[in-house]
Amino acid sequence: MLDFNTITELSRANCVSICAFLVPANLLATSSTIILAALRRPTHQVWQACAIATFFAVVMILHVYTWFMIGVVMAPTYILMWLAITCLLSNFAAILLQRHMPKILSFGR
């Protein structure tokens, strides 16, 4: 069976490696979602990019939460949490933009 304590200890023990992967992955995946939505790519492509970016953001939130659980309250934990939440909100905004962009662009014509 999967032990929650073991997973949290693994997350904290490998923090530098996890963050070294998740920070660029979050930024690249969120950027690709925004770019695909701005280029008016098909909906399934935007949703797929959004799902991948959301996965990375949720993993980062869970990783930061393991530090909050033991009482580590420092600037890096807040910065990483802010980055993950910003990525989630940006993905949500890209989906809304992609869904409502044809209406916005045809309104002035």
Side-chain angles (χ1 to χ4, degrees):
M1 193 157 111
L2 212 52
D3 185 22
F4 186 69
N5 289 329
T6 305
I7 294 172
T8 58
E9 285 298 322
L10 179 74
S11 175
R12 288 190 296 267
N14 298 307
C15 182
V16 174
S17 302
I18 291 170
C19 290
F21 172 75
L22 284 178
V23 170
N26 267 308
L27 295 174
L28 290 173
T30 300
S31 297
S32 68
T33 303
I34 293 169
I35 290 169
L36 288 173
L39 293 176
R40 295 183 174 183
R41 300 300 298 166
T43 305
H44 72 279
Q45 287 181 355
V46 178
W47 277 93
Q48 185 178 21
C50 182
I52 293 168
T54 301
F55 173 75
F56 288 139
V58 168
V59 169
M60 182 176 283
I61 289 171
L62 292 175
H63 171 65
V64 172
Y65 183 68
T66 63
W67 285 103
F68 284 147
M69 285 172 39
I70 62 168
V72 175
V73 182
M74 296 172 36
T77 53
Y78 287 114
I79 292 168
L80 291 173
M81 185 65 81
W82 172 80
L83 175 68
I85 291 171
T86 302
C87 287
L88 283 175
L89 292 175
S90 298
N91 285 310
F92 181 67
I95 292 293
L96 289 177
L97 174 73
Q98 194 252 354
R99 181 170 290 191
H100 297 293
M101 191 182 315
K103 294 177 188 174
I104 294 170
L105 294 178
S106 65
F107 182 74
R109 294 180 190 174

